């Protein structure tokens, strides 16, 4: 039994080393994704994947919502975000849906296997800024009601 455990452990180590040196994002990497409201007074955020619905989150300026997860073995982990900019009478002013995590975002976010990869979506009046490491380093990736940049 210990031999089987050792073989499985070695295969995991070999896979992670070979994947990290080839630039491929490793499976099971830890991620923390942050949504930060930087300018919308009444923002509703709904994050969901095929397997998980994180529900609606009503946010105001400077609020932060985050979730932690690990990618699956097939590297098919995806989360979509629905964003609703609400007016004071609770009518939708603008809305947009886009992938907040997929393979492309994983590559941009990083591929650290031991420490957590932290990525940020900063929500502003003109759109959605993506960054890794620090929310202030973001670049405009999506606009309200439009496709990606």
């Amino acid at each position: 039994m210990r031999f089987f455990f050792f073989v499985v452990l070695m295969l995991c180590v070999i896979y992670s080393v070979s994947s990290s040196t080839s630039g491929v994002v490793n499976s099971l990497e830890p991620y923390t994704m942050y949504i930060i409201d930087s300018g919308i007074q009444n923002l509703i955020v709904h994050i969901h994947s095929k397997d998980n619905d994180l529900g609606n989150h009503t946010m105001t300026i400077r609020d932060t919502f985050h979730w932690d997860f690990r990618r699956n073995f097939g590297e098919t982990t995806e989360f979509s975000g629905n964003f609703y900019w609400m007016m004071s009478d609770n009518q939708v002013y603008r809305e947009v849906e886009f992938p907040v995590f997929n393979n492309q975002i994983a590559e941009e976010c990083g591929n650290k296997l031991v420490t957590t990869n932290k990525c940020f979506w900063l929500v502003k009046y003109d759109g959605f800024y993506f960054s890794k490491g620090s929310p202030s380093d973001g670049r405009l990736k999506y606009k309200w009601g439009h496709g990606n940049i």
Side-chain angles (χ1 to χ4, degrees):
M1 183 66 170
R2 289 195 306 191
F3 178 74
F4 177 75
F5 176 76
F6 177 76
V7 170
V8 170
L9 179 64
M10 290 309 296
L11 288 174
C12 289
V13 168
I14 291 168
Y15 173 73
S16 70
V17 169
S18 67
S19 294
S20 63
T21 58
S22 68
V24 175
V25 178
N26 293 310
S27 295
L28 300 177
E29 294 168 324
Y31 288 90
T32 300
M33 300 297 292
Y34 294 87
I35 309 291
I36 301 171
D37 186 346
S38 180
I40 310 301
Q41 184 59 42
N42 191 4
L43 175 69
I44 296 176
V45 177
H46 183 195
I47 305 296
H48 55 92
S49 71
K50 182 178 69 170
D51 300 319
N52 299 291
D53 188 335
L54 305 182
N56 287 335
H57 299 272
T58 302
M59 302 174 69
T60 60
I61 298 171
R62 290 187 290 283
D63 278 352
T64 300
F65 166 68
H66 74 276
W67 72 102
D68 303 303
F69 63 97
R70 289 184 177 267
R71 294 185 73 195
N72 61 21
F73 274 115
E75 297 182 349
T76 59
T77 304
E78 294 185 4
F79 284 92
S80 292
N82 297 82
F83 297 84
Y84 304 94
W85 181 346
M86 306 300 288
M87 297 187 308
S88 59
D89 63 357
N90 284 329
Q91 297 297 312
V92 175
Y93 174 61
R94 290 190 175 168
E95 64 183 84
V96 66
E97 178 182 6
F98 60 87
V100 294
F101 185 86
N102 58 19
N103 286 338
Q104 178 185 358
I105 297 295
E107 288 177 20
E108 292 180 52
C109 191
N111 61 353
K112 295 180 277 186
L113 188 58
V114 178
T115 58
T116 301
N117 299 284
K118 294 182 180 180
C119 301
F120 301 87
W121 286 101
L122 192 62
V123 183
K124 296 184 176 184
Y125 285 107
D126 60 340
F128 301 82
Y129 292 75
F130 175 79
S131 66
K132 68 175 186 175
S134 171
S136 61
D137 297 333
R139 70 175 179 84
L140 183 63
K141 197 159 181 79
Y142 292 94
K143 289 188 174 187
W144 281 102
H146 301 290
N148 70 2
I149 304 300

